[in-house]
């Protein structure tokens, strides 16, 4: 239970008898923050699962550049001891996606890689003719082939990977469901010794530049 860690760390900091050094206080506060963030992620998963089961979960796709959005999620998800590389091929990469739902999917994939994968994680974003591919790959052992069929089922991902205390077991099921809501898909494969999750979303044309808009406005005025 992540909240147990939060409560314990705060109690240690507030205990006059503990006589903690400033560095120790900082460590306990960092622990409390980390545990609180992870507790919030579990609650988010449970709320999304509840809305999904009630048919009340919506996605509102819009034109969005996935490159800066992906960088933001990586920066907020990174933890010490794990290297997360990022490559945006030919950016900006425009897609039709709900920014909030996209961030939830990517956060789940990165959290999954940090918990179960290898030390080296890389993310890439690339546009093709009609789709955009977002790949999260790590150098871990991957999923036991016997349990691949259950990887995207609710509460059953733990069969395929060692469960981590406090995880909801819903992350991959939620991520694929959100991908489908945006007209995309999420798939898993082992490739060249890497564990690879690939999110596919509909691509979109880039919006007109400011200069193009100015020219259009000028021509409309002349007419």
């Amino acid at each position: 239970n992540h909240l147990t860690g939060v409560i314990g760390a705060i109690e240690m900091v507030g205990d006059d008898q503990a006589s903690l050094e400033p560095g120790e206080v900082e460590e306990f506060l960092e622990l409390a923050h980390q545990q609180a963030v992870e507790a919030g992620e579990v609650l988010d998963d449970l709320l999304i699962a509840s809305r999904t089961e009630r048919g009340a979960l919506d996605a509102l796709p819009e034109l969005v550049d996935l490159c800066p959005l992906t960088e933001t999620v990586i920066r907020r998800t990174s933890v010490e001891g794990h290297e997360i590389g990022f490559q945006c091929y030919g950016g900006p990469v425009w897609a039709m996606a709900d920014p909030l739902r996209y961030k939830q999917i990517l956060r789940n994939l990165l959290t999954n890689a940090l918990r179960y994968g290898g030390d080296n994680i890389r993310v890439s974003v690339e546009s093709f003719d009609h789709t955009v591919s977002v790949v999260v790959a790590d150098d871990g052992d991957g999923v036991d082939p016997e349990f691949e069929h259950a990887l995207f089922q609710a509460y059953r991902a733990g069969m395929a990977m060692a469960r981590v205390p406090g995880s909801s077991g819903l992350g991959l099921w939620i991520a694929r469901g959100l991908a489908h809501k945006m007209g995309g898909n999420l798939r898993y494969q082992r490739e060249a010794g890497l564990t690879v999750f690939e999110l596919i979303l509909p691509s979109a044309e880039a919006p007109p530049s400011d200069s193009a808009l100015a020219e259009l406005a000028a021509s409309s005025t002349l007419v």
Side-chain angles (χ1 to χ4, degrees):
N1 187 328
H2 292 297
L3 292 181
T4 301
V6 175
I7 294 169
I10 293 175
E11 286 180 346
M12 285 295 296
V13 171
D15 186 355
D16 294 335
Q17 305 299 319
S19 300
L20 299 175
E21 297 292 331
E24 293 175 318
V25 172
E26 184 177 349
E27 288 180 5
F28 276 114
L29 291 178
E30 288 179 357
L31 173 63
H33 177 263
Q34 178 185 348
Q35 293 292 310
V37 169
E38 292 181 2
E41 291 174 352
V42 170
L43 289 174
D44 282 344
D45 286 349
L46 293 174
L47 287 171
I48 293 174
S50 175
R51 291 171 184 164
T52 299
E53 291 171 348
R54 290 185 287 110
L57 184 66
D58 292 324
L60 302 173
E62 61 184 67
L63 185 63
V64 59
D65 179 5
L66 295 185
C67 294
L69 206 58
T70 302
E71 285 186 293
T72 298
V73 178
I74 291 174
R75 186 171 60 253
R76 293 178 179 176
T77 310
S78 297
V79 298
E80 187 176 352
H82 288 78
E83 177 185 348
I84 301 180
F86 175 56
Q87 179 69 52
C88 188
Y89 294 98
V93 175
W94 297 98
M96 290 303 298
D98 183 321
L100 174 61
R101 303 308 183 196
Y102 174 75
K103 288 189 288 187
Q104 288 171 329
I105 293 172
L106 186 57
R107 187 259 297 171
N108 267 320
L109 294 179
L110 288 174
T111 299
N112 190 67
L114 289 167
R115 285 175 174 166
Y116 307 112
D119 291 333
N120 298 302
I121 302 168
R122 70 170 189 245
V123 181
S124 63
V125 179
E126 187 172 4
S127 181
F128 296 95
D129 289 339
H130 302 291
T131 61
V132 170
S133 169
V134 181
V135 171
V136 177
D138 70 78
D139 58 357
D141 294 333
V143 178
D144 188 327
E146 180 183 356
F147 298 120
E148 285 186 17
H149 71 282
L151 193 57
F152 293 101
Q153 297 180 21
Y155 302 108
R156 298 191 68 187
M159 296 169 56
M161 297 172 287
R163 286 294 299 275
V164 173
S167 63
S168 67
L170 294 167
L172 292 176
W173 174 69
I174 287 172
R176 174 175 272 186
L178 292 176
H180 289 169
K181 283 283 185 180
M182 293 187 288
N185 196 14
L186 178 63
R187 58 194 184 193
Y188 162 84
Q189 63 180 333
R190 285 287 292 178
E191 181 179 317
L194 297 174
T195 297
V196 178
F197 285 91
E198 183 180 21
L199 171 64
I200 305 295
L201 292 172
S203 62
E205 294 184 2
S209 63
D210 292 340
S211 59
L213 289 174
E215 291 179 5
L216 179 60
S219 63
S220 298
T221 302
L222 290 175
V223 173

